[in-house]
Amino acid sequence: MSSPKGSQAQKTRLPSFTRKVPLEVPSPTEKDWSKDDEEDYVFKDPDEELDSLPQPYRMINKLVNLLFDRSWEVIEERDALRKSELSRIRPTVYPPVVESKLNKMPNCMAISQDYVFIGGARGFSIHSLFNAKQIYVWEKLKVDVTSICATDLGSEILIAPVDEIGIVRLFYLYKDGLCLIKAINEVEDTSKQSTCLKMEISQGGDFAAFFLQGAGDIWLDVYKLPKESWLKEVEHPQLSINPKKKVRQLQLNTLDAMTSDNLEMDISFRGDVKLSLPVHIMKIKPPKPVTGTTFKSPLEVFAKIEDCYGLGSGQNHFIRESQWEQQAAVFNASYKKYLDGEWEEEPLSMATFHFLPPGCITATPVDVKSPSGVAYVLGVHWTGSHNFFLYLLNRTLKDKLDPEGVWPCAAPIAVSQLSCSSSYLVLACEDGVLTLWDLAEGFPLGVVALPEGCICQSIHFLKYFLVHEGRNVFPEGPVKSQMKCVVLCTDASLHLVAAQGSEAPTISVLVERPVNHLDEAVCAVAPVPALPGMVLIFSRDGHVHLMDVAKPHIICAFAPPRPYHLAVPWKPMFVVSFHHPCFLLRGDHPDEIKSTDDAKNIQNSLFYFNFEAYPLLENISRNCSIPQSALTANMGFPHELPLEKRCESFLQKRTPGIEGNVLNLIKGVCKEPTAPSY
């Protein structure tokens, strides 16, 4: 694309015996000549020089060269990626132990005791956890079940499915009988129908809370569940006294279950049993926006706050409406250029709530008797709110609804999570700061900040573990003021947060934010209670890995057999058993997406993975605990030793010459006090 010598656009050439740099005597050998720039060669044939191209050909030449350069960069990048993939050590991939074929697509799953509850079209089904055998099917709805919750009540199970309309129903499973308790928010007039957006059942099943939306309003309904009465009524069933009352519910109860010919029934539906209804005790609405005060004096403000109830919520203040208007005017004038333009509609205010047991923070009043382990306080925070509200549960619907306590935070609370033992609570704010609370002991374990730019998406508590002789173990006996959790951020990074007593909490990175391989981004995390320090990591590319957070490193991977795969890998459907070393994963067949006409013949499968069936995990699952005596004898765990042993070890390392006298003093202090002699 260049013209030979003689063109009019030809530039003035340098003589063939001169250079652009100071003249130097060249090296006798050609291999020592400079190769940085060919134009600096001393001897150059003028016939080999090319003239500059005229426009627009010069521009075309540059674009073509740029295209080749960028193409070569892509080729080199792909080649480097291919080489890195070949050099990467891939973990061992384990197939499922059992495959359970379903006639209908499952929408949700829950595990309780030895049963798996699967919600799908027109109802839900009950399966055995060990052999994936279908035990019972309840299909009496006209719509699908979108979410399901199962709570262990001891010898019974409380089941709460939610359908597409948003109606939540409570079922009671006792031995071989299934009973319908109540449809919580079902009404005759569909125009007044409310939708259940979220629900929570307390540990042990004493209380239940349902977040409802309807008629342009949102609220939180809290119920007390009479589970003691349910047990008596199931063992001694009685027919309804007034059969004409609630005809619609009785007709629903007397319908026969939908079963197949080859299904062996171990559970039957008991429509003749009428159970006591849950007792509505609270209706909580979002806090009102802070506006100008109506009080005339500060004394009225203090008189409004009785027994410090509601203190810290910001509702009771002495700021007048004119002051709010002046502050708003100053703010709008200062940031006018940022405020001009279209504003997005504010999202719906959602409530996050937890049932907290009695403790040092949420102490039980003297006149109230609460059984051990029974939830006593409901903690609630709303979208965009800085406050965490505490409501006592020993009340009736007629009682005045005021929060008994308010925990204000420096930034709006984004995520909160309660541990499975209800002993620890983590509040994550929008600024990336996490506050760790020890509810049992009544003090915060510490405050830790996520790396800059990380925003908390979800929090997952781990069963506390230790690293003993290079392996993770669960300490036997009670563990106080020690917790570990993993935090998944919105940028797909994963972090481990650990707190212990009065020591400052620590945070470490488990998975970095993906930069080059976006398909490897972490989309879901699930701790494995049966394996110490292990979590399941679900990636956007459909891979499922088991990670050891103590190292951290990937131990193995799990995958359904081909051609099954995860149809929605960024939102996988799975459930992990809390008491058994297994988890279930839904696998989708490729024909399931392509075939839409004959949906009845499409096979959907649930895959059962048992950790004890794989060689790498067999020993970890069976030898995962260590007695307390081994910890106290091992000096590698100083925080597990008694105070006397800890002081003795400290003084032996620091001041070996005087430890005798000091140890005697410490032993005297550590001993139990005796009655003084007179």
Side-chain angles (χ1 to χ4, degrees):
M1 299 179 64
S2 300
S3 60
K5 180 176 62 174
S7 174
Q8 295 180 358
Q10 180 180 357
K11 292 185 178 180
T12 304
R13 294 193 185 92
L14 294 175
S16 60
F17 52 85
T18 61
R19 301 181 63 190
K20 296 180 181 179
V21 295
L23 185 62
E24 296 179 358
V25 178
S27 175
T29 58
E30 186 177 355
K31 63 180 182 180
D32 297 333
W33 294 357
S34 175
K35 298 181 180 180
D36 297 337
D37 191 354
E38 293 182 356
E39 295 183 357
D40 289 341
Y41 290 164
V42 176
F43 301 104
K44 188 173 183 180
D45 189 356
D47 294 335
E48 294 182 359
E49 295 187 10
L50 301 178
D51 298 328
S52 299
L53 291 172
Q55 291 290 3
Y57 303 106
R58 189 163 63 248
M59 181 185 67
I60 297 175
N61 186 44
K62 291 182 178 180
L63 293 177
V64 172
N65 292 334
L66 180 62
L67 178 61
F68 278 109
D69 293 340
R70 291 185 177 179
S71 301
W72 185 252
E73 292 177 358
V74 173
I75 293 173
E76 289 181 339
E77 181 180 354
R78 292 183 179 180
D79 185 66
L81 178 61
R82 183 181 59 84
K83 291 181 180 179
S84 63
E85 289 290 336
L86 294 176
S87 61
R88 179 186 298 184
I89 301 177
R90 296 187 177 276
T92 305
V93 180
Y94 289 119
V97 178
V98 179
E99 177 184 357
S100 176
K101 292 186 178 296
L102 306 176
N103 295 328
K104 297 181 180 180
M105 180 184 298
N107 297 326
C108 51
M109 290 188 296
I111 291 181
S112 183
Q113 297 184 7
D114 300 335
Y115 298 101
V116 181
F117 303 90
I118 303 175
R122 301 182 57 195
F124 64 92
S125 59
I126 305 176
H127 297 249
S128 173
L129 178 61
F130 302 106
N131 56 13
K133 174 185 175 183
Q134 187 172 353
I135 302 175
Y136 183 78
V137 179
W138 187 88
E139 294 180 345
K140 303 185 180 76
L141 303 177
K142 297 181 180 180
V143 293
D144 295 353
V145 172
T146 57
S147 66
I148 190 169
C149 174
T151 304
D152 188 1
L153 305 183
S155 59
E156 320 90 57
I157 300 177
L158 181 65
I159 311 166
V162 182
D163 59 24
E164 289 180 327
I165 305 177
I167 299 177
V168 55
R169 296 172 175 85
L170 295 182
F171 290 86
Y172 187 75
L173 178 61
Y174 176 69
K175 293 183 178 179
D176 59 348
L178 180 67
C179 306
L180 174 64
I181 301 174
K182 181 185 178 182
I184 295 296
N185 57 330
E186 187 177 21
V187 294
E188 296 289 342
D189 189 0
T190 56
S191 61
K192 299 180 181 179
Q193 179 66 55
S194 59
T195 302
C196 180
L197 303 178
K198 189 185 297 185
M199 65 178 174
E200 188 77 23
I201 300 176
S202 66
Q203 187 177 7
D206 296 281
F207 297 92
F210 306 94
F211 182 60
L212 305 176
Q213 177 188 13
D217 196 8
I218 55 175
W219 66 94
L220 184 64
D221 277 344
V222 185
Y223 290 83
K224 181 176 176 60
L225 306 179
K227 64 176 187 178
E228 292 82 6
S229 301
W230 292 343
L231 184 59
K232 297 178 181 178
E233 293 165 354
V234 171
E235 294 178 347
H236 306 284
Q238 296 180 358
L239 296 177
S240 175
I241 300 177
N242 187 4
K244 295 183 180 180
K245 189 175 182 181
K246 298 187 178 179
V247 177
R248 183 179 179 184
Q249 182 174 344
L250 287 176
Q251 289 177 352
L252 182 63
N253 291 355
T254 54
L255 290 175
D256 294 333
M258 301 288 294
T259 60
S260 58
D261 297 337
N262 58 352
L263 181 62
E264 181 182 353
M265 292 298 298
D266 297 330
I267 297 177
S268 60
F269 188 82
R270 303 182 61 178
D272 58 335
V273 179
K274 181 181 179 181
L275 302 181
S276 301
L277 300 180
V279 181
H280 192 193
I281 60 175
M282 271 193 298
K283 184 176 182 180
I284 305 174
K285 292 189 175 182
K288 298 179 180 179
V290 180
T291 57
T293 183
T294 58
F295 300 114
K296 297 181 180 179
S297 65
L299 296 178
E300 295 183 8
V301 179
F302 291 104
K304 180 69 175 178
I305 305 176
E306 300 177 0
D307 299 330
C308 298
Y309 287 168
L311 183 63
S313 62
Q315 298 293 333
N316 303 317
H317 58 85
F318 199 59
I319 303 176
R320 300 188 179 277
E321 186 68 28
S322 58
Q323 294 175 293
W324 285 113
E325 294 177 355
Q326 293 176 3
Q327 184 68 23
V330 172
F331 179 83
N332 294 333
S334 302
Y335 301 97
K336 183 179 180 180
K337 61 179 180 179
Y338 302 104
L339 299 176
D340 293 342
E342 297 182 359
W343 283 83
E344 296 182 359
E345 185 178 356
E346 294 185 1
L348 177 67
S349 180
M350 296 289 293
T352 304
F353 40 95
H354 309 282
F355 289 98
L356 311 180
C360 297
I361 295 180
T362 58
T364 307
V366 180
D367 56 342
V368 178
K369 295 182 179 180
S370 178
S372 177
V374 176
Y376 183 72
V377 174
L378 179 68
V380 185
H381 69 86
W382 300 83
T383 303
S385 175
H386 293 65
N387 300 324
F388 188 75
F389 298 93
L390 302 175
Y391 297 88
L392 291 180
L393 296 173
N394 62 327
R395 65 171 78 234
T396 62
L397 196 60
K398 297 181 180 180
D399 294 340
K400 185 178 179 181
L401 185 60
D402 283 327
E404 277 67 29
V406 180
W407 294 355
C409 297
I413 303 175
V415 181
S416 63
Q417 186 62 44
L418 184 69
S419 64
C420 297
S421 62
S422 301
S423 300
Y424 306 101
L425 176 70
V426 176
L427 300 179
C429 297
E430 294 181 358
D431 57 357
V433 176
L434 279 66
T435 306
L436 318 177
W437 285 93
D438 186 349
L439 301 179
E441 299 297 328
F443 66 90
L445 289 173
V447 178
V448 64
L450 295 172
E452 186 178 357
C454 295
I455 301 176
C456 178
Q457 177 179 332
S458 60
I459 303 172
H460 309 271
F461 277 92
L462 300 174
K463 186 177 179 181
Y464 189 76
F465 70 95
L466 299 171
V467 180
H468 178 67
E469 297 180 354
R471 62 187 184 94
N472 302 343
V473 292
F474 292 131
E476 295 180 357
V479 177
K480 294 184 179 180
S481 302
Q482 300 178 58
M483 54 83 66
K484 293 182 180 181
C485 65
V486 291
V487 180
L488 178 62
C489 298
T490 54
D491 61 352
S493 61
L494 190 64
H495 307 266
L496 175 64
V497 178
Q500 175 183 310
S502 58
E503 299 180 6
T506 61
I507 183 171
S508 57
V509 180
L510 299 177
V511 179
E512 295 281 355
R513 172 181 176 270
V515 178
N516 298 326
H517 311 290
L518 298 180
D519 56 340
E520 297 181 359
V522 179
C523 58
V525 177
V528 181
L531 303 178
M534 307 292 176
V535 295
L536 288 173
I537 297 179
F538 298 82
S539 305
R540 288 185 176 271
D541 55 4
H543 290 92
V544 183
H545 296 97
L546 181 67
M547 169 178 278
D548 182 0
V549 300
K551 300 292 190 279
H553 72 97
I554 300 297
I555 296 180
C556 62
F558 306 96
R562 294 183 179 181
Y564 288 91
H565 64 281
L566 303 183
V568 189
W570 56 89
K571 193 177 181 181
M573 198 185 87
F574 67 94
V575 61
V576 182
S577 175
F578 188 79
H579 300 286
H580 303 285
C582 64
F583 78 98
L584 277 75
L585 178 66
R586 168 187 153 186
D588 302 289
H589 199 276
D591 297 337
E592 181 180 339
I593 303 175
K594 299 178 182 178
S595 302
T596 57
D597 299 333
D598 193 8
K600 295 182 179 179
N601 297 328
I602 297 176
Q603 290 291 333
N604 301 275
S605 297
L606 286 179
F607 297 101
Y608 174 88
F609 296 87
N610 188 352
F611 298 117
E612 293 183 347
Y614 307 120
L616 287 177
L617 307 177
E618 183 178 2
N619 294 332
I620 299 177
S621 176
R622 295 180 180 178
N623 304 318
C624 60
S625 61
I626 184 171
Q628 196 72 20
S629 58
L631 293 177
T632 55
N634 189 350
M635 301 303 294
F637 302 97
H639 54 276
E640 301 289 345
L641 300 177
L643 177 61
E644 180 179 347
K645 294 290 184 180
R646 293 167 63 182
C647 294
E648 181 178 357
S649 174
F650 175 78
L651 292 174
Q652 287 177 352
K653 294 179 181 179
R654 298 293 182 181
T655 53
I658 61 173
E659 81 244 9
N661 296 331
V662 180
L663 282 177
N664 293 331
L665 178 62
I666 294 176
K667 292 180 180 179
V669 174
C670 294
K671 291 181 179 179
E672 296 183 357
T674 56
S677 57
Y678 297 95

